Amino acid sequence: MELEELPGVGEATAEKLREAGYKTVESIAVASIGELKEISGMGEGTLMKIIDAARNTLQMRFMTGTEVMEKRKNMRKITLGSKKLDELLGGGIETQAITELFGEFGSGKTQICHQLAVNVQLPEERGGLERNALYIDTENTFRPERIIQMAKGMDLDPDTVLENIIIARAYNSDHQILITEKASELIKEKNIGLIAVDSLTSHFRSDYTGRGMLADRQQKLNRHMHDLQRLCDIHNLAVVVTNQVMARPDFFFGDPTAPIGGHVVGHSSTFRIYLRKSKGGKRVGRLIDSPNLPEGEAIFSLSEVGVRD
Ligand code: ADP
Ligand code: MG
């Protein structure tokens, strides 16, 4: 359905909305009146009608608890390479969900993304999906050499594993959004079972600096997360995103998910794992706000062969 088919949306308005990034009826359905008001210059009453109409077309149908249970039966888990971390997550990272890894520089976010890009290719009985990976690299930290080491560590053929990881460099936040918008074809064609977005937030932080930009940044980021959520629902795949946060002295006594250094972090991940360095080169992962798992911590290590206990 085109934007023009919504009541009260003419060609000019549709064009304005598209330019502002609202390309689909779905994006209008999840938008707020406030954000559309600025772009379109329309009154609140009209906008309310447009948003309502967009929502009605979405066939947001209700599901019974049984149906949700049925859908979750197709949910699979990917091992992280460490038994402790897997236990923390109830078996590994889930398909149909977004898992966010957050922590300071060097805490192991990128290493875990590499490990998952390898592990998704494992046979199911070894904790994989026998599917391939899409790696969205925003910081130029994807390293094929690490993949080779980790593949060997899993007794997999390194050349095959490397060939089965598709890398997309994202050069700015709009480019990053575009990649996920266009990913559906590739996902089907390449049988993608994992999307890693490393890092989710770095471009958004540098593209939207300053106080006035905070709301814009959050809107774009929310929409990007929404796109990712849709991909993992439709294709029954796992999404892992990374988010770098700064450590602060009072961190461990307060709420680690609270806004840090003015960086508003409020996305819609299903699982959030806070990573930190510990004694003797060890790392600690802490599960935060899970809908169905207890909070807890797991100690793991990073070695040449990858993520291990
Ligand atoms: P970030 O959270 O910033 O993405 P990384 O995932 O890049 O952090 O973690 C970097 C850390 O990973 C290094 O400090 C090191 O401890 C570990 N690491 C990276 N490569 C290797 C390797 N080949 N062998 C052992 N440890 C490694
Ligand atoms: Mg990194």
Side-chain angles (χ1 to χ4, degrees), residues 101-114 135 139 141 143 145-146 149-150 198-199 242-244 275 277 281-283 301-306:
L101 306 171
F102 70 109
E104 64 180 294
F105 176 76
S107 57
K109 304 180 293 295
T110 296
Q111 298 300 310
I112 294 180
C113 288
H114 278 64
Y135 201 109
E139 298 181 311
T141 51
R143 292 290 176 276
E145 300 86 333
R146 280 302 277 150
Q149 290 175 333
M150 289 176 179
D198 185 23
S199 136
T242 69
N243 178 23
Q244 188 164 311
L275 300 170
K277 291 182 188 171
K282 290 272 183 188
R283 298 291 192 284
S301 65
L302 301 170
S303 73
E304 172 159 341
V305 289

